């Protein structure tokens, strides 16, 4: 590993506040101007609030410059911003990548039931999105969940499918579970 790679640190920045045009530019600019590299991000507007999660890397001076600018940006945008140092993930070669989709008429507790089934089997959730949208003609609230999973071994697939069958049968939902090209680590 080169000295440059060793001196690079990774940070997660989480920012939440009122939505307005230009927020992505403002937050990403402080990272760029400090000399950081934005490696991964997730952004969403939730009921008028904008949420941003960013993984960036940089050397010590870069990280310190972002830390110094954080308070100023919080005041300027009326945001809550958190920084947390992380470490590079160790790839898990024993996991299988799978995509899970769950859908049906919205009802309370779907995310809890699905996440409980995953946790009980020690399945790692790499990403998960859920949303409620009105059905095209009736306007009925329809729930959709999409998740990327790391399943530790083929033996758990049957148990996961059995759990999902029970959850979906009980709640009149449908699901699909398909292999994905998800990175294993």
């Amino acid at each position: 590993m080169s000295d440059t790679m060793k001196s690079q640190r990774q940070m997660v920045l989480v920012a939440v506040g009122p939505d307005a045009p230009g927020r992505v530019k403002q937050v990403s600019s402080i990272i760029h101007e400090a000399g950081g590299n934005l490696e991964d991000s997730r952004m969403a507007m939730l009921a008028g609030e904008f949420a941003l999660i960013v993984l960036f890397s940089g050397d010590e001076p870069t990280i310190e410059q972002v830390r110094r600018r954080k308070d100023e940006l919080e005041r300027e945008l009326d945001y809550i911003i958190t920084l947390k140092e992380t470490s590079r993930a160790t790839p898990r070669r024993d996991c299988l990548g799978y995509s899970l989709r769950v859908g049906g008429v919205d009802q309370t507790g779907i995310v809890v039931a699905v996440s409980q089934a995953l946790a009980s089997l020690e399945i790692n959730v790499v990403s998960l999105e859920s949303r409620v949208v009105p059905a095209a003609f009736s306007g009925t609230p329809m729930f959709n969940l999409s998740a990327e999973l790391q399943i530790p071994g083929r033996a758990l697939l049957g148990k996961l499918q059995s759990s999902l069958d029970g959850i979906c049968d009980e709640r009149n939902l449908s699901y699909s579970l398909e292999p994905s090209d998800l990175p294993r680590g």
Side-chain angles (χ1 to χ4, degrees):
M1 183 180 283
S2 73
D3 287 340
T4 306
M5 287 301 290
K6 287 181 195 172
S7 65
Q8 295 290 299
R9 294 169 40 200
Q10 289 185 313
M11 299 290 289
V12 173
L13 180 148
V14 178
V16 179
D19 185 43
R23 295 305 196 221
V24 174
K25 178 205 159 292
Q26 290 170 291
V27 173
S28 61
S29 289
I30 71 164
I31 295 166
H32 176 73
E33 290 166 5
N37 181 38
L38 201 149
E39 296 182 12
D40 201 352
S41 64
R42 305 288 185 278
M43 303 166 206
M45 187 171 60
L46 304 166
E49 294 294 308
F50 185 70
L52 166 78
I53 304 171
V54 173
L55 173 69
F56 72 96
S57 60
D59 57 15
E60 184 63 32
T62 296
I63 302 299
E64 287 312 308
Q65 185 173 341
V66 172
R67 281 189 204 280
R68 283 192 304 272
R69 301 264 328 266
K70 176 187 99 61
D71 292 340
E72 170 191 330
L73 194 61
E74 278 184 314
R75 285 188 301 275
E76 183 182 320
L77 302 179
D78 189 25
Y79 268 37
I80 296 170
I81 300 175
T82 305
L83 284 168
K84 181 181 184 316
E85 186 163 3
T86 186
S87 57
R88 297 201 183 271
T90 306
R92 291 191 57 187
R93 295 191 176 16
D94 61 334
C95 288
L96 305 170
Y98 270 77
S99 295
L100 171 64
R101 308 286 177 260
V102 178
V105 175
D106 185 41
Q107 52 199 280
T108 349
I110 299 171
V111 174
V112 171
V114 171
S115 62
Q116 185 174 10
L118 297 172
S120 73
L121 296 171
E122 297 186 10
I123 293 172
N124 190 39
V125 177
V126 175
S127 69
L128 186 144
E129 285 187 32
S130 66
R131 68 182 56 216
V132 176
V133 296
F137 297 108
S138 67
T140 302
M142 301 300 291
F143 176 83
N144 292 296
L145 178 145
S146 298
E148 296 298 326
L149 309 174
Q150 288 177 329
I151 301 177
R154 192 164 305 283
L156 290 179
L157 280 175
K159 290 179 181 179
L160 176 58
Q161 288 170 321
S162 179
S163 290
L164 292 170
D165 285 343
I167 291 165
C168 290
D169 285 349
E170 179 182 314
R171 296 169 182 272
N172 198 27
L173 302 168
S174 62
Y175 80 91
S176 67
L177 184 63
E178 302 292 331
S180 71
D181 292 332
L182 183 69
R184 296 173 184 232

